[in-house]
C-alpha cells in the first residue's frame, strides 16, 4: 500500500512538471487519504476472513465484499437523481466542508484506528475459539 501511495504521488508530480495535469495539494491529499482508507479497510476485513475461513474461502469473502461495495456505489449513483439521496449527500459534503483539512484528516485517522482495532478484536475472538 505504501509503495502504491509513493508511486502515485511521484506520477502526479511528474505529470504536473511536464504539464500534462495540474493537481492541487488538497486533491492529492484527499486521493491519498481515500486510497489508504480503502487499503486499510480491505486489510482489516482480510485478516479475520482468512483466519475464520482459510486462505481460499477468505479470498472469496473479500471478492464478495468488493462486489457488494461496487454494487452499492452503482446503486447510489443511480439513485442520485432522486432528490432525497442527492440532497442528503450534498448536506453531508457541506457539513464536512465546514471543517479544516487537519480536522478531516484527524477524523479519517481516528476512523483508521477504529477499523483496525475492531479487526484485531474480531481476529482475537476467532483465534480464541480455535482448537489447536
Amino acid at each position: 500500500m505504501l509503495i502504491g501511495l509513493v508511486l502515485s504521488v511521484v506520477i502526479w508530480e511528474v505529470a504536473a512538471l511536464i504539464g500534462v495535469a495540474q493537481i492541487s495539494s488538497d486533491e492529492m491529499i484527499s486521493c491519498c487519504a481515500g486510497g489508504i482508507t480503502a487499503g486499510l479497510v480491505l486489510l482489516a476485513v482480510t485478516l479475520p476472513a482468512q483466519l475464520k475461513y482459510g486462505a481460499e474461502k477468505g479470498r472469496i469473502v473479500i471478492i464478495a465484499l468488493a462486489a457488494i461495495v461496487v454494487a452499492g456505489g452503482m446503486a447510489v449513483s443511480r439513485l442520485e437523481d432522486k432528490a432525497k439521496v442527492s440532497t442528503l449527500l450534498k448536506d453531508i459534503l457541506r457539513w464536512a466542508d465546514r471543517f479544516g483539512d487537519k480536522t478531516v484528516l484527524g477524523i479519517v485517522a481516528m476512523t483508521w484506528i477504529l477499523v483496525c482495532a475492531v479487526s484485531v478484536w474480531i481476529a482475537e475472538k476467532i483465534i480464541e475459539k480455535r482448537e489447536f
Side-chain angles (χ1 to χ4, degrees):
M1 189 169 56
L2 182 62
I3 292 169
L5 177 67
V6 170
L7 187 61
S8 301
V9 171
V10 168
I11 290 171
W12 282 333
E13 290 298 325
V14 169
L17 286 175
I18 62 174
V20 174
Q22 289 297 325
I23 300 168
S24 71
S25 61
D26 289 342
E27 288 175 340
M28 189 180 301
I29 290 171
S30 66
C31 286
C32 290
I36 292 171
T37 301
L40 281 176
V41 168
L42 182 64
L43 290 172
V45 171
T46 301
L47 175 65
Q50 289 205 353
L51 286 172
K52 176 121 177 123
Y53 301 111
E56 290 301 318
K57 289 182 184 177
R59 287 187 196 117
I60 293 170
V61 169
I62 300 305
I63 292 169
L65 177 69
I68 290 169
V69 168
V70 169
M74 290 173 62
V76 167
S77 69
R78 288 192 180 161
L79 290 175
E80 193 173 344
D81 296 334
K82 306 290 184 199
K84 290 180 182 177
V85 174
S86 180
T87 305
L88 176 65
L89 291 174
K90 287 178 184 176
D91 289 343
I92 291 171
L93 290 175
R94 277 191 212 111
W95 177 76
D97 215 16
R98 289 188 288 177
F99 298 113
D101 292 340
K102 291 179 182 178
T103 305
V104 171
L105 283 176
I107 292 169
V108 169
M110 293 302 290
T111 305
W112 295 341
I113 292 169
L114 179 66
V115 166
C116 290
V118 168
S119 175
V120 169
W121 179 75
I122 292 171
E124 286 176 347
K125 294 297 177 188
I126 291 169
I127 289 174
E128 286 175 2
K129 290 181 181 179
R130 275 193 166 174
E131 293 181 17
F132 291 100

